[in-house]
Amino acid sequence: MIRRSHEKETVTKPAPFEGKGMITVRSLLNGEEEMSQKGRVFCHTTVRPGAEIGFHIHGDESETYYILKGKGTYNDNGVQAQVEAGDVTYCAPGEGHGLACTGDEPIEMIALILYK
């Protein structure tokens, strides 16, 4: 399978989990079937300056962010840490996280949610 750039589903929506501002999500793979039932999200996400994905807990799944561009504050189970391009974050099953874009440019990242 090849998914061309113009074929990706793109949605701009309010930041989830009682976050602030808007985010844009571009699906790289569409759902469980394309992820061989091993996960549910593989996407390229943009978090605009001042926007924030609210803190949330993952039950039986993990989430990894790979930061491509921008700077922000990552909430790792209540511990705040600065992240920037090239950094990778990991939220294990049963743990929680959130991300705020604190720089002047948007955060561009790849997000991957895999099942436990």
Side-chain angles (χ1 to χ4, degrees), residues 28-108:
L28 301 175
L29 293 176
N30 293 324
E32 293 178 338
E33 185 173 314
E34 288 186 6
M35 295 185 70
S36 301
Q37 311 303 318
K38 305 291 185 200
R40 65 180 181 87
V41 172
F42 181 50
C43 65
H44 175 185
T45 300
T46 302
V47 183
R48 292 174 175 70
E52 177 178 350
I53 296 172
F55 183 82
H56 57 286
I57 296 174
H58 286 270
D60 290 335
E61 60 190 24
S62 65
E63 186 165 23
T64 302
Y65 295 158
Y66 174 51
I67 310 297
L68 301 169
K69 295 181 184 177
K71 295 181 180 181
T73 302
Y74 182 74
N75 181 339
D76 184 10
N77 289 293
V79 176
Q80 306 292 322
Q82 298 304 304
V83 293
E84 61 186 21
D87 291 345
V88 176
T89 68
Y90 175 71
C91 180
E95 295 185 359
H97 68 152
L99 178 67
C101 181
T102 56
D104 294 332
E105 66 175 328
I107 291 175
E108 300 272 342

